[in-house]
Structure formats: structure tokens, C-alpha cells
Amino acid sequence: MPIYHSPDNVELEPAELGDHELYLIGRLVRACALLEDACHNYLGYVVKVTPATLTLLIPKLGISSKLPMAGNFAALRGKEEQASFANHFDVNKIVETLKCRNAVVHGHILGRSRDGKWAFETTMVDPKSESENVASVTVMSFRTKDIELYAEWAEDLAKNAGSHPFVLEQRKERHWTALQPSKKSQPKRQPSAKPGHPPQSSEE
């Protein structure tokens, strides 16, 4: 779904998202989380480190940066892996879906237009800039049907990305991992008394 830039002024009416819109946004958020997890695991696969190690190496890197990085490393591993990446990650569609996710989740809702579009004020990084610090404030508008479409897109993209053999293997291992009790829930041990000299007997 290409972004359409309106050439006209748009009048907005005060409005709040309803239960149906919030439900659709929840679907979108959950599917994007699965998509980000799949991208993270795949990047670990192509750079030959475990997902846990990758988290330690690049803890703050988001999917927008990991996705092209994964594509570049896949290309370095040969045409077969490059084709596999293209088959499991539809980059253009993922980027468009993430724009919607970011707008409806992090953006400030301004209201609703007369033709039924929800308007969100959001910040977008300039794709032509080499620095992630260059951003602009813009308004993105979506009909309820648009949000539903993006939620469906995200779910399909997450399913496809999650079908990569390595991603499937990683998720299977995590599903079978038992949860250990939280350390914070364990009773604290009382500090032991310092060992002293045994009492000496006295004779009168």
C-alpha cells in the first residue's frame, strides 16, 4: 500500500480510537514483534552467532537497521542464501508495515477526518539521510480498514519470516525451555554470624 500525500487541507474532528481499532492495533503490534524476532534470529544465523550473542553485540539496534544488514550478509554467503532471504523477508512490505505500526503505536492521535481517516502525528527518520538523528514530524492517516490490512500484512510477513528453518529451530528450543524461579522471589538468607572463639571453661 503506497503512501499517498494529500495536496489539500484536511479538517479533523476530535475522536478517540474504539475497541475495534485498538484490537486491530494489538494484532499489528503482536505480529510485528514476531517479525522482529524472526529478523533478529535470522541475522544471528547469517553472521554465525547465537541470537543471545547478537543481543549483547547490538542491543539497541532495531529491525529497520537489522533488515538491510541481514540482506547484506545473506548476499555475502552466496546466491542461494540471498534468494532464501528474499523468499522469507519481503523488505518493501515490511518497511511499509512498520511505518504504520510506528504511527499508530507511538504517534499522537490528532482526530478523525470527515472521510473516516484517523490522523496520527508521528516522527519519521529521513530515509535519504545517512544519520539516524535527522527526522521530521509528519501526519499519517489510516482508515480502520487500512489498519486491518496492515495487521493482516504483518501476520503474513511474520508467518513467512518465521518459516525459515533456523528461525523455526530457535523458536522450538525456546518453547521447550523451562522457566526457573525468579531470584527476586527467593527468601533472603540471614547473614551468618561471624565465627568466634568457643567459650572457655573456668575452674575455681
Side-chain angles (χ1 to χ4, degrees):
M1 181 185 295
I3 294 177
Y4 169 74
H5 298 278
S6 175
D8 305 314
N9 293 330
V10 178
E11 294 186 11
L12 299 176
E13 299 176 352
E16 294 293 335
L17 295 167
D19 290 343
H20 184 55
E21 286 78 21
L22 293 174
Y23 161 72
L24 294 175
I25 292 172
R27 282 177 55 189
L28 176 61
V29 169
R30 184 61 200 141
C32 284
L34 292 173
L35 186 57
E36 288 180 301
D37 178 75
C39 180
H40 180 83
N41 284 324
Y42 179 81
L43 179 57
Y45 165 71
V46 289
V47 300
K48 298 183 180 181
V49 299
T50 66
T53 301
L54 188 64
T55 300
L56 294 175
L57 293 174
I58 47 174
K60 296 182 179 181
L61 206 62
I63 185 174
S64 297
S65 299
K66 290 179 182 176
L67 198 58
M69 189 181 296
N72 291 335
F73 275 101
L76 290 175
R77 295 189 64 172
K79 293 184 178 180
E80 185 175 345
E81 191 57 49
Q82 188 175 20
S84 177
F85 171 78
N87 184 47
H88 288 91
F89 296 91
D90 187 333
V91 176
N92 292 331
K93 215 169 183 179
I94 290 173
V95 169
E96 291 303 315
T97 302
L98 291 173
K99 287 180 182 178
C100 177
R101 189 277 309 269
N102 292 341
V104 299
V105 174
H106 303 294
H108 172 67
I109 184 166
L110 300 174
R112 198 175 189 183
S113 64
R114 292 180 178 178
D115 60 353
K117 293 181 180 178
W118 302 94
F120 298 87
E121 183 182 68
T122 183
T123 302
M124 296 182 64
V125 176
D126 186 354
K128 296 181 181 180
S129 172
E130 296 181 357
S131 172
E132 294 185 358
N133 297 322
V134 179
S136 60
V137 177
T138 187
V139 176
M140 299 186 71
S141 300
F142 307 95
R143 297 169 300 169
T144 298
K145 190 65 180 177
D146 296 331
I147 300 175
E148 182 175 16
L149 176 61
Y150 277 113
E152 292 172 354
W153 271 17
E155 289 166 347
D156 289 341
L157 290 166
K159 182 178 180 180
N160 190 43
S163 66
H164 186 276
F166 181 79
V167 176
L168 282 173
E169 181 183 345
Q170 287 296 310
R171 288 180 174 174
K172 184 177 179 181
E173 289 181 5
R174 286 156 61 188
H175 285 168
W176 285 99
T177 300
L179 297 178
Q180 301 296 326
S182 171
K183 293 181 179 180
K184 294 183 178 180
S185 69
Q186 305 304 308
K188 293 183 179 180
R189 291 183 178 182
Q190 295 296 328
S192 57
K194 292 183 179 180
H197 296 288
Q200 296 181 355
S201 60
S202 59
E203 295 182 359
E204 293 182 358

